[in-house]
């Protein structure tokens, strides 16, 4: 498809961050923009599954939340479990003192992207596909414009370029912006450095407290972490394609894979997922009769992925290469999926960025020589916020990875056992539950 030769804003990438940036620009009255993506269609993998309270509020501020709220499951709590009992429950209800949305909205990323895409189309904007960026250089005639070239030979000249093109961002690479762990190399928690994630159904369908909708379950077992989220059949139409549609409940799992077990496949097969479920999952979804009186087996494997997890942040998220160049979402920062913060931070980044860009466009119309103070203040604030979130997710990882082996010969108790005892005790205090819910909600880190 033919692209325009000029635009004020070019958005590269049509994931949650890019789509939200486009929606926020329209809401702010900026219509002179183009959004492109390198692939023919959006992802059909579910990946991120939670939209937290602060993000729902941010989306509501640009009139985008309603479509998501009508599709998602309003999560009541997050349970932390051992294999045999509950250790702690984070209830979201106390957040009603601070927000009109006291819950986590459980919704697969592919559904989130679909809702955002449909909203954008209803406003008359189409994502231009497939267009892969291959180069950027300062325009020879205007020092505040960048010429962005594409694989098919087309070129767009833009005054603002938003790189929302993922962890392997081409925009970031061409702009020469570094991307590394803020704590330096070799800070990865090795036991939780590799994970698998999958959407699955069971035969027969499992029964037990962890299968109830509206609750995300995080199990710590043998120094490992297993997350289990029931979707019911809410998203089967979007998740179960290619003739696989069923009325069975679909479940999301996320599990760390010990280094000693070797690297997981990039797309783990059903047999691999079954072994992981049996080894680390709740007893009620096990196929082992010695653990589960009513054994169940993985039936359909809807989607799966294996990946390594680490933290990294761009050296800066605002730069100039003629045009103002920005990074949002995974192009700007990545971290562990534990805590469900990644997509949430990306969406909020995009909304704040659209506001800053719109203000800068308006200031430039009044004074062509306006400086970049508005843009720089945005960049510094969001970079600091990303560092906070990375620190938060690293803390969660460390807590989830404490070993059950004895700490030392003189202390025949494991760190994990101490953690579990502390969680059981603290879980009885409402103010502790409220504090944890506040931390996950993002309300203190908008």
């Amino acid at each position: 498809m033919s692209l325009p030769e000029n635009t004020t804003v070019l958005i590269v990438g049509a994931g949650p961050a890019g789509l939200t940036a486009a929606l926020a620009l329209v809401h702010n009255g900026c219509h002179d923009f183009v959004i492109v993506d390198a692939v023919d269609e959006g992802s059909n993998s579910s990946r991120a599954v939670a939209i937290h309270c602060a993000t729902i509020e941010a989306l509501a501020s640009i009139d985008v939340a309603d479509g998501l709220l009508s599709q998602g499951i309003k999560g009541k709590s997050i349970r932390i479990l051992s294999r045999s009992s509950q250790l702690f429950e984070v209830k979201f209800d106390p957040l009603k003192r601070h927000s009109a949305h006291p819950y986590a909205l459980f919704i697969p990323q592919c559904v989130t992207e679909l809702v955002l895409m449909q909203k954008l189309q209803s406003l008359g904007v189409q994502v231009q596909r497939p267009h892969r960026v291959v180069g950027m250089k300062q325009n020879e005639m205007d020092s505040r414009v960048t010429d962005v070239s594409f694989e098919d030979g087309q070129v767009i000249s833009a005054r603002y370029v938003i790189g929302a093109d993922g962890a392997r961002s081409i925009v970031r690479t061409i702009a020469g912006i570094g991307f590394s762990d803020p704590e330096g190399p070799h800070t990865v928690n090795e036991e939780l450095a590799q994970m698998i994630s999958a959407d699955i159904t069971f035969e027969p369908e499992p029964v037990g407290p962890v299968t109830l909708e509206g609750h995300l379950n995080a199990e710590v077992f043998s120094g490992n972490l297993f997350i289990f989220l029931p979707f019911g059949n809410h998203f089967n139409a979007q998740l179960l394609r290619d003739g696989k549609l069923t009325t069975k409940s679909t479940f999301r799992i996320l599990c760390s894979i010990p280094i000693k077990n070797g690297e997981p496949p990039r797309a783990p097969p059903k047999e691999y997922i079954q072994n992981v479920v049996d080894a680390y999952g709740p007893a009620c979804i096990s196929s082992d009769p010695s653990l589960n009186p009513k054994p169940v087996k993985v039936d359909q494997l809807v989607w799966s992925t294996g990946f390594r997890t680490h933290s990294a942040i761009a050296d800066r998220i605002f730069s100039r290469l003629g045009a103002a160049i920005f990074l949002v979402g995974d192009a700007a920062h990545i971290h562990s999926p534990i805590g469900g913060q990644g997509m949430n931070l990306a969406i909020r980044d995009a909304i704040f960025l659209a506001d800053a860009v719109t203000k800068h466009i308006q200031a430039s119309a009044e004074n062509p020589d306006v400086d970049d103070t508005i843009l720089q203040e945005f960049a510094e604030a969001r970079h600091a916020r990303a560092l906070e979130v990375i620190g938060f997710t690293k803390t969660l990882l460390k807590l989830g990875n404490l070993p059950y082996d004895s700490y030392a010969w003189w202390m025949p108790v494991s760190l994990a056992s101490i953690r579990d005892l502390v969680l059981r005790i603290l879980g009885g205090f409402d103010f502790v539950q409220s504090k944890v819910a506040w931390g996950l909600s993002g309300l203190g880190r908008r």
Side-chain angles (χ1 to χ4, degrees):
M1 182 177 290
S2 179
L3 296 171
E5 294 182 357
N6 301 280
T7 187
T8 300
V9 184
L10 173 64
I11 303 171
V12 181
L19 292 169
T20 302
L23 287 162
L25 285 173
V26 173
H27 182 265
N28 292 344
C30 176
H31 299 274
D32 186 20
F33 67 87
V34 175
I35 176 169
V36 301
D37 198 87
V39 297
D40 283 315
E41 61 179 18
S43 169
N44 66 351
S45 58
S46 64
R47 296 188 182 274
V49 291
I51 302 179
H52 289 297
C53 182
T55 309
I56 298 171
E57 289 192 353
L59 288 165
S61 74
I62 59 168
D63 299 326
V64 176
D66 288 349
L68 293 165
L69 292 174
S70 69
Q71 295 281 330
I73 300 169
K74 293 180 180 179
K76 301 177 179 66
S77 72
I78 294 177
R79 297 166 172 156
I80 302 173
L81 315 165
S82 68
R83 202 160 204 189
S84 59
S85 62
Q86 181 170 299
L87 302 175
F88 190 92
E89 184 172 16
V90 182
K91 296 179 181 178
F92 295 119
D93 190 59
L95 295 175
K96 64 186 178 185
R97 296 194 297 269
H98 311 286
S99 172
H101 305 283
Y103 45 81
L105 190 71
F106 297 140
I107 181 169
Q109 182 173 326
C110 60
V111 181
T112 297
E113 290 185 15
L114 180 62
V115 171
L116 296 179
M117 181 79 70
Q118 290 173 341
K119 177 68 173 179
L120 194 59
Q121 290 172 344
S122 74
L123 297 171
V125 180
Q126 295 288 336
V127 176
Q128 306 300 313
R129 307 174 183 270
H131 295 289
R132 186 180 301 276
V133 172
V134 294
M136 298 192 304
K137 66 176 183 178
Q138 183 173 313
N139 184 275
E140 295 179 357
M141 303 296 293
D142 190 333
S143 63
R144 289 274 170 152
V145 170
T146 290
D147 296 331
V148 181
S149 54
F150 295 86
E151 198 170 49
D152 60 5
Q154 297 189 72
V155 177
I156 292 183
S157 298
R159 293 190 173 276
Y160 304 85
V161 177
I162 298 175
D165 51 340
R168 298 177 180 177
S169 170
I170 296 297
V171 172
R172 187 185 66 230
T173 300
I174 296 173
I177 299 174
F179 194 60
S180 60
D181 192 309
E183 296 180 5
H186 311 301
T187 60
V188 175
N189 185 325
E190 285 299 325
E191 286 305 311
L192 294 178
Q194 53 186 29
M195 308 188 85
I196 62 98
S197 186
D199 292 333
I200 56 180
T201 66
F202 290 97
E203 178 59 41
E205 294 206 44
V207 177
V210 299
T211 66
L212 298 176
E213 290 178 29
H215 303 275
L216 184 148
N217 305 280
E219 181 179 283
V220 286
F221 175 68
S222 271
N224 224 55
L225 184 65
F226 186 98
I227 292 175
F228 183 69
L229 175 61
F231 283 147
N233 56 17
H234 286 265
F235 311 113
N236 285 10
Q238 294 90 352
L239 296 177
L240 298 167
R241 302 181 179 182
D242 303 322
K244 298 178 180 178
L245 192 60
T246 178
T247 57
K248 285 184 179 179
S249 297
T250 306
F251 299 86
R252 155 59 68 90
I253 66 167
L254 175 70
C255 184
S256 56
I257 304 299
I259 298 297
K260 64 183 180 183
N261 291 5
E263 185 176 349
R266 293 195 65 174
K270 185 165 80 169
E271 295 74 17
Y272 187 96
I273 298 298
Q274 182 69 68
N275 290 336
V276 169
V277 168
D278 288 342
Y280 304 110
C284 71
I285 61 171
S286 173
S287 66
D288 185 350
S290 66
L291 291 175
N292 186 6
K294 299 179 179 179
V296 299
K297 289 188 176 182
V298 175
D299 182 25
Q300 287 182 263
L301 175 58
V302 180
W303 163 85
S304 69
T305 185
F307 57 96
R308 289 188 65 80
T309 177
H310 65 284
S311 299
I313 189 168
D315 295 343
R316 55 193 185 281
I317 62 172
F318 163 59
S319 184
R320 275 207 176 267
L321 188 65
I325 310 293
F326 302 95
L327 302 175
V328 291
D330 286 354
H333 40 69
I334 58 173
H335 46 78
S336 163
I338 306 304
Q341 299 296 311
M343 185 179 72
N344 286 269
L345 184 60
I347 288 172
R348 298 199 298 272
D349 281 353
I351 293 172
F352 284 114
L353 172 57
D355 184 61
V357 167
T358 304
K359 288 178 179 177
H360 195 264
I361 291 171
Q362 293 168 346
S364 297
E366 298 174 3
N367 175 15
D369 297 322
V370 66
D371 63 23
D372 289 336
T373 300
I374 295 171
L375 306 179
Q376 194 61 50
E377 288 178 349
F378 155 81
E380 290 174 358
R382 300 318 295 172
H383 190 271
R385 189 66 74 237
L387 286 172
E388 287 181 27
V389 171
I390 288 173
F392 178 67
T393 58
K394 285 191 172 190
T395 298
L396 292 179
L397 273 176
K398 290 173 183 175
L399 287 173
N401 188 47
L402 292 176
Y404 280 94
D405 300 327
S406 295
Y407 180 68
W409 65 267
W410 47 267
M411 183 179 174
V413 178
S414 70
L415 293 176
S417 297
I418 295 173
R419 174 203 61 204
D420 294 352
L421 177 61
V422 170
L423 286 174
R424 289 182 193 277
I425 294 171
L426 293 180
F429 295 95
D430 291 342
F431 78 91
V432 176
Q433 290 189 18
S434 298
K435 187 173 179 62
V436 176
W438 174 264
L440 291 171
S441 73
L443 289 171
R445 290 188 302 272
R446 295 175 193 261

